[in-house]
Amino acid sequence: MRVIVEKNGQEVSRRAAKFFDELVRNKPNCVLGLATGSTPLGVYQEMIRMHREENLDFSLVTTFNLDEYVGLEPTHPQSYRYFMQTNLFDHINVDPWKTHVPDGMVADFESACRAYEHHIVDAGGIDLQLLGIGSDGHIAFNEPGSSLGSRTRLKTLASETVRDNARFFQNEEEVPRLAVTVGVGTILEARRCILLAIGEAKADAIRATVEGPVTAQITASALQLHREVIVIVDEGAASKLARREYYDEVEKSMLLMEAKKRLPGATRR
Ligand code: F6R
């Protein structure tokens, strides 16, 4: 895992957005895995800015979101489809037909979940997966105890998640208890993952994810098994990392190496 600590949430978003910028420019028909929640909002704002001011072109990009609440229409203001439309898709030139969010209103979830997995494979697999993390260590809605090999399916939300997400609803009672979510196994198949965390409330989950054992009790810890994960956190979320100095050292070397690669003639050596 590459661990990057930035000084605040804005820098976390900027740094993450750069990875997306690089990918979309190098592979215009790439497949992006996207997340909802408060954490990725800054990344989406930065992507919109890059589209408007720097001609970042999303016209050939395909997207797949991680999850959706069961029982909310796509037009419901708290549905994740609505979130994606209003916070990203409506402001960039992505082809609406190439954006995918699990459907929380289907009659047959089993076949819809299977179809979602097939769609991802048919699109060529996810090139870059953006992830937030729950205070209970979940990625997507893979709550503690989820199989680390799980695929897209229905999942009951943990009470901690219901409490955390109540801030978006009128009250806790309104938060749906069920969601359709991609599995940990689905996420691990992405070519590259970027996990973001902002604020001290995420410090325990980040410590457990990066430095704890791989365990289904903290589903984000399964990312330790992935070849290419970049964890980008602010000072608050990094505050409980025991090996912080080491990550800073590694980062310095990475930046030096990247700068060298950009020198003229570097590719010939
Ligand atoms: C959302 C998702 C969740 C969130 C997590 C953190 O699509 O998959 O795992 O990333 O619950 O949410 P925030 O960013 O609101 O703290």
Side-chain angles (χ1 to χ4, degrees), residues 3-23:
V3 181
I4 303 176
V5 183
E6 295 289 353
K7 62 175 187 297
N8 56 38
Q10 200 181 6
E11 294 303 316
V12 168
S13 305
R14 278 209 197 120
R15 192 66 184 271
K18 270 193 200 139
F19 287 100
F20 283 89
D21 180 77
E22 199 179 87
L23 173 65

Side-chain angles (χ1 to χ4, degrees), residues 34-40 65-67 80 131-135 138-141 161 165 167-168 202:
L34 299 177
T36 57
S38 336
T39 313
N65 263 77
L66 291 169
D67 39 23
Y80 285 170
L131 296 164
I133 184 168
S135 55
H138 69 223
I139 42 174
F141 273 135
T161 304
N165 290 3
R167 68 189 193 279
F168 300 113
K202 300 290 173 71

Side-chain angles (χ1 to χ4, degrees), residues 210-225:
V210 176
E211 296 176 344
V214 174
T215 166
Q217 296 311 312
I218 303 282
T219 53
S221 68
L223 293 170
Q224 290 178 29
L225 301 171

Side-chain angles (χ1 to χ4, degrees), residues 5 75 111 127 145 175 247 254:
V5 183
T75 49
S111 51
D127 290 301
V175 184
Y247 308 133
M254 293 289 287

